[in-house]
């Protein structure tokens, strides 16, 4: 990943709809007034958005409860990667030629960078097929594929993703400010590159407040980032038959860690300025600073270090166990060169509260900002996990 100290402005907003800003870019330094919104769409992107909204289809089966079809039983349950390839072949065989053309794409770094925190209609460049364009059986295969790539723990991996999808359905019931595709069915799913035992491909799953990007090279996970999560409302809501509380475990882990710091450690960890949002968000691949700021992790005691590792695990733990363990081993080995920083309150409960972990490979940010879509008083988080050595699986083209 290329680095520089400046913050890149990114994102796009549907120009033909009057609306408040949905994404806020970070201010690397003191705030200088009201939040600014992303720039209007180009005419070409407006046309893409209009075409995308015409594709927004059936919404009859929720991803959290959709059944995995019996055909999936034919795939070997003992070998995770081989099983995932088998499930992918079943899905590709089950869709129409037109849908397959949206689902199976050539790999390019440019295409992989088309992820966003914005809803479907506001960022139409996302590749892939909408979940609402798939029937129940096809969605069941998507579910099975994602469950192979992700953790099965409660509030992590697939379960956290379902809760994030439920948030979009919740917003759609209360929002009056912006109708650009709030719905769990307007998440995109794609294969960038052909899934196989050789070559490069990415499992792409993204929508409002969500980006999942596992890149595989020659049958091995080469990178699990960028990995973005956000949610509104926060910190819990009822929707689709359950209480949802995604990202509370991330916030609580950081709050516990920051509250365990001594006064001197807290002062050293405090970053200058106010952060309105994360730095390394969508279309901001170059925004991670070259320099390290905050408290050296080497200055933490054993108990504090364990709390930091627990916070890191809430991100890395979204992927499958064996792959998560490999990442945790790498980040643990790099702790002597890693830094912890925050701005705002250590409780991570107020607007503009912000925390980051920055190591030789690891970059994690968690940011709270005012609500944008529910018209309710309160704050909601944006958060990202990136890896400086294997973002996008290390691919550059």
């Amino acid at each position: 990943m290329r680095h520089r100290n400046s913050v890149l402005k990114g994102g796009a907003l549907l120009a033909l709809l009057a609306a408040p800003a949905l994404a806020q870019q970070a201010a690397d330094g003191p705030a200088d007034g009201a939040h600014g919104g992303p720039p209007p769409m180009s005419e070409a992107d407006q046309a893409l958005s209009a075409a995308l909204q015409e594709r927004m289809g059936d919404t009859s089966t929720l991803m959290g409860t959709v059944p995995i079809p019996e055909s999936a039983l034919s795939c070997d349950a003992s070998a995770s990667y081989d099983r995932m390839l088998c499930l992918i072949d079943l899905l590709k065989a089950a869709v129409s030629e037109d849908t397959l053309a949206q689902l199976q794409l050539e790999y390019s770094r440019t295409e992989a960078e088309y992820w966003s925190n914005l809803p479907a209609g506001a960022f139409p460049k996302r590749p892939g097929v909408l979940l609402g364009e798939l029937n129940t059986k096809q969605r069941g295969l998507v579910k099975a594929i994602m469950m192979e790539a992700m953790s099965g723990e409660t509030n992590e991996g697939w379960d956290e993703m379902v809760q994030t999808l439920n948030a979009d359905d919740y917003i759609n019931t209360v929002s009056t400010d912006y109708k650009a595709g709030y719905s769990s069915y307007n998440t995109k799913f794609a294969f960038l590159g052909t899934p196989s035992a050789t070559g490069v491909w990415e499992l792409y799953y993204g929508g409002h407040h969500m980006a999942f990007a596992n890149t595989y090279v020659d049958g091995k996970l080469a990178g699990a980032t960028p990995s973005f999560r956000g949610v509104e409302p926060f910190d819990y809501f009822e929707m689709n038959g359950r209480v949802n509380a995604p990202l509370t475990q991330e916030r609580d882990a950081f709050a516990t860690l920051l509250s365990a710091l001594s006064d001197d450690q807290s002062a050293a960890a405090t970053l200058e300025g106010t952060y309105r949002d994360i730095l390394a968000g969508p279309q901001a691949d170059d925004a991670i600073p070259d320099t390290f700021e905050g408290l050296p992790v080497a200055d933490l005691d054993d108990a504090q270090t364990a709390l930091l590792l627990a916070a890191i695990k809430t991100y890395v733990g979204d992927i499958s166990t064996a792959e998560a363990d490999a990442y945790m081993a790498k980040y643990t080995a790099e702790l002597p060169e890693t830094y912890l920083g925050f701005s705002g309150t250590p409780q991570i409960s107020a607007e503009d509260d912000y925390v980051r972990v920055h190591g030789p490979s690891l970059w994690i940010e968690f940011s709270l900002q005012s609500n944008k879509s529910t018209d309710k008083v309160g704050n909601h988080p944006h958060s990202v996990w990136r890896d400086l050595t294997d973002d996008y699986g290390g691919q550059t083209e």
Side-chain angles (χ1 to χ4, degrees):
M1 179 186 294
R2 306 176 301 276
H3 304 96
R4 69 179 184 223
N5 289 320
S6 62
V7 179
L8 299 184
K9 305 283 185 178
L13 186 64
L14 193 60
L16 56 160
L17 294 176
L22 288 172
Q24 307 302 324
Q25 295 304 314
D28 190 4
D32 56 2
H35 294 340
M41 282 185 176
S42 67
E43 290 186 7
D45 281 355
Q46 289 183 39
L48 282 175
S49 182
L52 182 67
Q53 292 186 59
E54 289 295 321
R55 289 169 51 194
M56 294 179 183
D58 171 60
T59 59
S60 60
T61 308
L62 298 169
M63 288 301 291
T65 58
V66 65
I68 295 175
E70 290 186 5
S71 59
L73 295 174
S74 65
C75 296
D76 185 358
S78 64
S80 179
Y81 187 76
D82 289 343
R83 174 174 166 78
M84 183 163 59
L85 293 183
C86 176
L87 292 166
I88 289 170
D89 286 342
L90 289 177
L91 175 61
K92 290 165 67 173
V95 301
S96 69
E97 289 186 8
D98 288 344
T99 298
L100 184 60
Q102 300 279 358
L103 177 66
Q104 176 64 75
L105 305 168
E106 295 295 322
Y107 181 86
S108 77
R109 169 65 184 258
T110 298
E111 199 81 7
E113 289 178 0
Y114 288 148
W115 60 275
S116 177
N117 62 295
L118 295 172
F123 193 80
K125 287 184 177 179
R126 284 188 188 94
V129 61
L130 294 163
L131 295 181
E133 296 180 278
L134 302 176
N135 63 32
T136 300
K137 177 182 176 181
Q138 293 160 355
R139 287 183 203 162
L141 289 169
V142 170
K143 178 178 182 176
I145 292 163
M146 294 304 297
M147 290 178 74
E148 285 300 314
M150 305 185 78
S151 167
E153 295 183 18
T154 302
N155 288 329
E156 299 289 355
W158 173 251
D159 184 59
E160 184 177 72
M161 184 169 285
V162 167
Q163 294 181 64
T164 306
L165 291 172
N166 290 343
D168 248 26
D169 289 336
Y170 178 93
I171 292 173
N172 198 39
T173 68
V174 300
S175 176
T176 59
D177 66 341
Y178 194 74
K179 297 294 182 183
Y182 286 130
S183 169
S184 60
Y185 310 100
N186 293 332
T187 301
K188 287 286 198 71
F189 183 72
F191 310 120
L192 307 183
T194 301
S196 67
T198 59
V200 177
W201 69 280
E202 181 184 303
L203 179 59
Y204 180 105
Y205 193 103
H208 181 217
H209 278 158
M210 184 191 306
F212 180 90
N214 270 14
T215 303
Y216 299 89
V217 177
D218 294 336
K220 303 292 184 182
L221 181 70
T225 63
S227 180
F228 178 97
R229 301 291 184 274
V231 65
E232 186 180 347
F234 185 72
D235 51 11
Y236 72 93
F237 60 97
E238 293 186 18
M239 191 68 201
N240 293 336
R242 65 175 292 179
V243 174
N244 302 270
L247 293 183
T248 55
Q249 70 274 21
E250 286 85 349
R251 189 274 307 279
D252 292 349
F254 278 128
T256 301
L257 168 62
L258 295 178
S259 297
L261 300 180
S262 69
D263 290 344
D264 287 345
Q265 289 173 322
S266 183
T270 301
L271 304 171
E272 294 184 5
T274 299
Y275 289 79
R276 300 295 196 192
D277 198 347
I278 61 174
L279 300 182
Q283 289 72 66
D285 293 329
D286 296 338
I288 297 175
D290 293 310
T291 56
F292 294 85
E293 301 175 87
L295 173 70
V297 170
D299 292 346
L300 300 179
D301 63 28
D302 290 346
Q304 293 166 333
T305 300
L307 291 175
L308 173 62
L309 288 171
I312 294 170
K313 185 64 181 292
T314 64
Y315 292 81
V316 178
D318 282 338
I319 61 176
S320 66
T321 301
E323 293 163 338
D325 288 347
Y327 269 111
M328 289 302 298
K330 177 170 74 166
Y331 296 150
T332 300
E334 294 176 348
L335 286 181
E337 302 171 88
T338 300
Y339 286 72
L340 170 68
F342 80 101
S343 178
T345 73
Q347 293 77 28
I348 315 297
S349 59
E351 183 176 356
D352 298 335
D353 281 354
Y354 171 87
V355 60
R356 80 165 63 138
V357 183
H358 186 186
S361 301
L362 179 63
W363 176 267
I364 288 175
E365 297 177 274
F366 186 98
S367 166
L368 277 181
Q369 57 210 255
S370 61
N371 286 338
K372 302 297 185 296
S373 305
T374 56
D375 198 26
K376 295 179 181 292
V377 175
N379 303 301
H380 79 286
H382 285 177
S383 192
V384 71
W385 163 35
R386 306 194 77 149
D387 189 293
L388 309 184
T389 58
D390 63 24
D391 235 19
Y392 300 102
Q395 303 304 303
T396 59
E397 297 181 359

